[in-house]
């Protein structure tokens, strides 16, 4: 996808040069390239998805598409050294820095079921007290056949303390199934 965006951007820049140089048009050669930048902004916006009201995905892909368009424009206008430097920076960022960030922000998921005959708000408050502020709690249909339960998915970003969190949550009255 990014290669296609780069090729299309380069062709847009080359077309602007062609129109001005070959056809002796007096139009602004940057006008077509400006439309690529705004158009890619709309394409990138379509890649950004918000999940569960707080988890955003696709932002890096959208930014990569926009940077690829700029590299394509630079290639089209003959600014090869700038395009090469930008490409190396983009590849380094997406290939290496993303891995470092993923290792730093690993998360794990817990599934529990809560007894609905107990006070669910008290139980959820106790669970929230055991978690960091970035934890996500999502209510779902129960997976088990236990009557009067509700399923809860808990996404915890700090996996180093997951056993400690399990032990604390296990001690809460009203937790039925793990």
């Amino acid at each position: 996808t990014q290669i296609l965006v780069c090729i299309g951007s380069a062709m847009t820049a080359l077309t602007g040069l062609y129109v001005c140089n070959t056809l002796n048009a007096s139009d602004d050669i940057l006008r077509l390239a400006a439309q690529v930048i705004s158009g890619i902004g709309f394409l990138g916006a379509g890649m950004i998805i918000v999940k569960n009201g707080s988890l955003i995905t696709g932002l890096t892909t959208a930014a990569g598409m926009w940077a690829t368009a700029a590299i394509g424009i630079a290639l089209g206008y003959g600014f090869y050294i700038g395009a090469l430097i930008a490409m190396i920076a983009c590849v380094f960022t997406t290939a290496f820095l993303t891995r470092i960030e993923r290792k730093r922000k690993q998360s794990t998921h817990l599934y529990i079921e809560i007894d609905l005959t107990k006070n669910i708000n008290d139980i959820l408050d106790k669970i929230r007290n055991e978690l960091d502020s970035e934890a996500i709690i999502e209510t779902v249909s129960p997976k088990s056949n236990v009557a009067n339960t509700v399923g809860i998915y808990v996404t915890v970003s700090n996996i180093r303390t997951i056993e400690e969190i399990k032990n604390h949550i296990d001690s809460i009255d009203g937790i039925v199934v793990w």
Side-chain angles (χ1 to χ4, degrees):
T1 303
Q2 292 184 348
I3 291 170
L4 293 173
V5 168
C6 187
I7 292 169
S9 301
M11 277 308 303
T12 303
L14 288 170
T15 302
L17 283 172
Y18 175 81
V19 168
C20 286
N21 293 337
T22 307
L23 302 177
N24 293 324
S26 60
D27 289 340
D28 181 11
I29 62 170
L30 297 175
R31 185 174 294 165
L32 284 173
Q35 301 307 313
V36 168
I37 295 299
S38 61
I40 292 299
F42 283 107
L43 180 64
M47 295 179 176
I48 301 170
I49 299 171
V50 178
K51 295 180 181 176
N52 299 330
S54 63
L55 183 65
I56 299 172
T57 62
L59 194 56
T60 302
T61 304
M65 294 291 287
W66 192 82
T68 302
I71 292 168
I73 291 170
L75 288 170
Y77 284 120
F79 185 36
Y80 302 120
I81 190 71
L84 180 65
I85 291 169
M87 183 206 56
I88 290 169
C90 287
V91 168
F92 174 77
T93 300
T94 56
F96 299 108
L97 296 182
T98 304
R99 288 182 189 164
I100 293 170
E101 183 180 15
R102 282 187 185 141
K103 285 182 182 177
R104 187 180 65 83
K105 292 187 103 178
Q106 287 180 338
S107 63
T108 191
H109 308 280
L110 300 173
Y111 174 79
I112 59 176
E113 289 185 18
I114 297 176
D115 184 354
L116 289 176
T117 61
K118 308 286 183 178
N119 188 340
I120 191 168
N121 289 329
D122 287 343
I123 296 170
L124 288 174
D125 286 342
K126 289 176 183 177
I127 292 171
R128 281 189 193 98
N129 288 337
E130 297 300 326
L131 305 175
D132 61 1
S133 61
E134 294 182 7
I136 299 170
I137 298 175
E138 182 181 7
T139 307
V140 296
S141 298
K143 292 182 178 181
S144 72
N145 293 326
V146 178
N148 295 323
T149 60
V150 65
I152 303 288
Y153 274 117
V154 180
T155 303
V156 184
S157 61
N158 188 353
I159 63 169
R160 284 178 257 162
T161 61
I162 194 65
E163 290 303 319
E164 181 181 327
I165 292 169
K166 281 183 178 181
N167 290 335
H168 285 295
I169 291 177
D170 197 31
S171 68
I172 298 172
D173 184 40
I175 303 295
V176 179
V177 177
W178 278 89

